[in-house]
Amino acid sequence: MSIKSVLKDFTLYDSDNLSGQVHKTYDYSIFRKMIGNRSLNLNHVKALKKSIQEDYIPNAIVVNQRMEVVDGQHRLQALSELNKPVYYRIIKDLDLLSVQRMNTKVRQWTMAEYLDSFCQRGFEDYIKLKEFMGMTGFCLDVCIALLLNKEVRNGNDRDKFVNGKFKIKDYNIALQQANQIQQTSEYLKKHYKEYAFCLAMLYYFHNEQYDHQVFMKKLSLQPSELTKQRNVEQYKRKIEEIYNFRTTSSNKIRFTF
């Protein structure tokens, strides 16, 4: 069945009852991936194939008038690999927001999936964020914190991110701070990339009393002191202890937590 014939068939009920008619096809090529939709989870496809082989109960996928899959892309992949018929219904004017709303009923989108989605659609700040991740090797949450230049984020920051409103505050400063954190890798080894440690360092970068060169010098004098901690506050205290090494009581710096 061609896309043209499908659209012709669609006009038969392009009125008040858009959710009524269900179609059947073996022509998997008529379906299109919606740009910005999250990538296939191959483990989920594998699980669906196993379930279909054991007991195949037809469940229609949902597409829009452009034959872009709105709901059921994993089912479509599983059925195509098993050479099983695909049942589908067309509902016009559904978009990526519709996909996200439908998917949250099954599994909420992750931040990484939102990132990929906005990158596919050409959102510049998200593309720079992904490049920043590749360049620094830090996880998504750490990179967001650095590029926002905020060690404390709230629900509003997440809402902006998932709605395409993420904006980088200062890319060069974020890159500089990422490099400063990476300088500690000799002492903290693989743990220097941990979210808690990075947030603790970001806290000190915001403190006018903090001098990174002083910290690195003190760290070199006691290389075994910077150890893995359980949370941000413990890292803050450990950094302060190292920073004040061999400093007289009157000259010790106390950072407020």
Side-chain angles (χ1 to χ4, degrees), residues 183-184 186-187 201 209-227 237-255:
Q183 290 171 13
T184 67
E186 178 183 349
Y187 308 98
M201 290 299 297
Q209 299 180 87
Y210 178 82
D211 185 322
H212 189 67
Q213 291 184 340
V214 171
F215 176 66
M216 292 306 299
K217 181 178 180 180
K218 295 294 183 72
L219 188 54
S220 68
L221 296 175
Q222 42 184 342
S224 61
E225 280 301 303
L226 185 57
T227 56
R237 291 186 176 86
K238 176 57 67 175
I239 292 168
E240 182 181 283
E241 290 173 7
I242 295 169
Y243 196 96
N244 286 319
F245 180 65
R246 290 183 180 175
T247 302
T248 60
S249 298
S250 58
N251 291 324
K252 287 183 183 295
I253 294 176
R254 295 300 178 202
F255 300 98

Side-chain angles (χ1 to χ4, degrees), residues 1 24-31 80 83-86 88:
M1 182 184 295
K24 174 183 176 182
T25 185
Y26 280 90
D27 185 0
Y28 315 114
S29 66
I30 67 173
F31 301 106
S80 66
N83 197 31
K84 294 281 189 180
V86 176
Y88 65 95

Side-chain angles (χ1 to χ4, degrees), residues 72-85:
Q73 65 171 349
H74 288 88
R75 269 176 283 145
L76 173 61
Q77 182 64 29
L79 290 167
S80 66
E81 291 182 14
L82 294 172
N83 197 31
K84 294 281 189 180

Side-chain angles (χ1 to χ4, degrees), residues 56 92 108 233:
Y56 178 40
K92 70 174 185 177
Q108 189 173 34
E233 297 305 317

